[in-house]
Amino acid sequence: MPATFTYNFDTAAYKGAVTINTGLFIGGEWVDPIEGELIEIRNPATDEVITKVAGGGKADVDRAVQAAKKAYKTTWGLKTTGRERGKALAKLADLIEQNLDEFTALESLNVGKVYANAKHVDVTGTVTVLRYYAGWADKIHGKTIETGENKFAYTRHEPYGVVGSIIPWNFPMNMLAWKIGPAMACGNTVVLKPSEFTPLTALRLADLVNEAGFPPGTLNIVNGYGSSVGQAISEHMQIEKVAFTGSTLTGRRIMKAAADSNLKAVTLELGGKSPTIIFDDADLEQAIKWACMGIFFNMGQVCTAGSRIFVQEGVYDKFLEHFTAAAKGLAEKTGDPFASGTQHGPLVSQAQFDRVMSYIKSGKEEGATVHTGGERHGDKGFFVQPTIFTDAHPGMKIVQEEIFGPVGVVIKFKTEEEVIEQANDTIYGLASHIFSENTSRAIRVAHAIESGMVWVNCANTVEVNVPFGGYKQSGNGRELGEYALETYTQVKAVHINIGQKL
């Protein structure tokens, strides 16, 4: 029987004990792994070990797939109604909401998120997504198609069957909901791998799955490393579709594994190097606030982060002055995610801290100017100061590569044509942010930018009913909204002869 772990919170934001199971959740039961190893889970604010969880392997993924396949064939999929699937998803949302503070505390502890942000963005957002797709579950249907009076033709949108989901560490609860919400609403069963850095809320959620009314095997959670569990999901012959959020490098590996195995369907939400474009006619006060949120929210660990900030020359100096002041203000409010007044927390891990600091070092070595920040904050945990670079040129790594930390590059531009060219000079195409009071210009530039999402006079305000996804090497397929349902169903065409004779 897998071990359980209890953490006693005694913070200004939350007080209470939270218990989670540290095993694998397969077939509606907690089980020990057949193979694998214990994985240390660390507190990013202190670098102390929180607990250890069981890490599975290939045999455990296969066990989860068999449980998911059995559920799909007997109690889920086409064997149950959309109304019943929606009822289970809605009940799961209710149960999470009833334990809102508990989930928030776990997410803040494990990921390093500021408590208020974790509560209102991550956990509340998870509830919203699950309820949204609960509402869709009985509204997934095909079409009747007019052909001729002697034939009746129609389509069915059928689930794939067993779906693999591999989620990242930056928004663990949100990404879990973005994956299982549409997948299970459509009738698929799921084998989910949480990040090895941040599995705690997924494990706590698993305790609610049976209570919500999901039949055993419909949702299975297998902890483990990407090289073992992630690889096994990607290449499993009985997983018909895999959905992944993470780095472009890992996305390529998943596509290759899918191609080399059973040509499973793949949707990918990958990296970004999103431009923020601020024109002379922007509401500068608002643009500064949004740009600050666009790059520093969640400590910059956001795929849509506006890390390349292009500012038109007429307002460049004033923007830089006030943007710098905002970054310094965040630096003064950096600290314990549970403390009152904290607005900027740690990065998620030592590996991510080292990665971000290496990019800061690269920027300095290539000749960019550290306008503010650029150093570690404190001597404990994985805190990095909000950092602004200036005097950067397009060939620098800090301009071209995704840093995934609180590091922005401010670049001066003259003309609309010039900034469009610079904004599109990237292998990525996930998002962009445009600030202008000229509606015609804003729309014109929004259409010219090569990205899957454009925010005008705002940044990163995700809506549950609006599709999320990118162009180029930022991935394929869409999450959220009705568009996500299309990635979890297959279209079957049915032709019925009602009068044709040979």
Side-chain angles (χ1 to χ4, degrees), residues 90-111:
K91 179 63 174 178
L92 181 59
D94 291 344
L95 292 171
I96 294 170
E97 189 172 55
Q98 290 168 19
N99 296 276
L100 192 72
D101 289 331
E102 187 176 308
F103 276 101
T104 301
L106 277 177
E107 200 80 327
S108 294
L109 174 71
N110 194 180
V111 192

Side-chain angles (χ1 to χ4, degrees), residues 280-406:
D280 286 345
D281 62 358
D283 179 333
L284 198 58
E285 181 180 353
Q286 283 295 305
I288 291 164
K289 291 179 179 179
W290 283 109
C292 189
M293 190 185 87
I295 180 57
F296 297 132
F297 178 72
N298 205 44
M299 290 64 73
Q301 298 167 129
V302 182
C303 55
T304 56
S307 54
R308 295 181 297 146
I309 304 165
F310 298 97
V311 185
Q312 201 162 18
E313 57 186 1
V315 294
Y316 177 87
D317 291 338
K318 187 175 181 181
F319 172 87
L320 185 59
E321 176 189 352
H322 292 282
F323 186 56
T324 302
K328 290 180 177 179
L330 278 178
E332 294 171 358
K333 297 178 180 178
T334 298
D336 178 5
F338 290 92
S340 177
T342 296
Q343 294 184 11
H344 189 78
L347 300 180
V348 76
S349 66
Q350 181 71 57
Q352 189 61 18
F353 174 86
D354 292 342
R355 172 187 170 88
V356 171
M357 293 306 295
S358 74
Y359 273 108
I360 292 174
K361 180 181 178 182
S362 169
K364 295 174 182 178
E365 291 175 345
E366 291 186 332
T369 299
V370 177
H371 190 74
T372 190
E375 302 293 339
R376 178 177 192 155
H377 176 93
D379 57 5
K380 183 173 67 172
F382 309 128
F383 295 90
V384 174
Q385 296 173 350
T387 300
I388 300 171
F389 275 100
T390 57
D391 303 317
H393 61 73
M396 291 181 175
K397 287 177 66 176
I398 58 171
V399 178
Q400 289 295 325
E401 298 183 16
E402 183 178 44
I403 299 173
F404 224 62

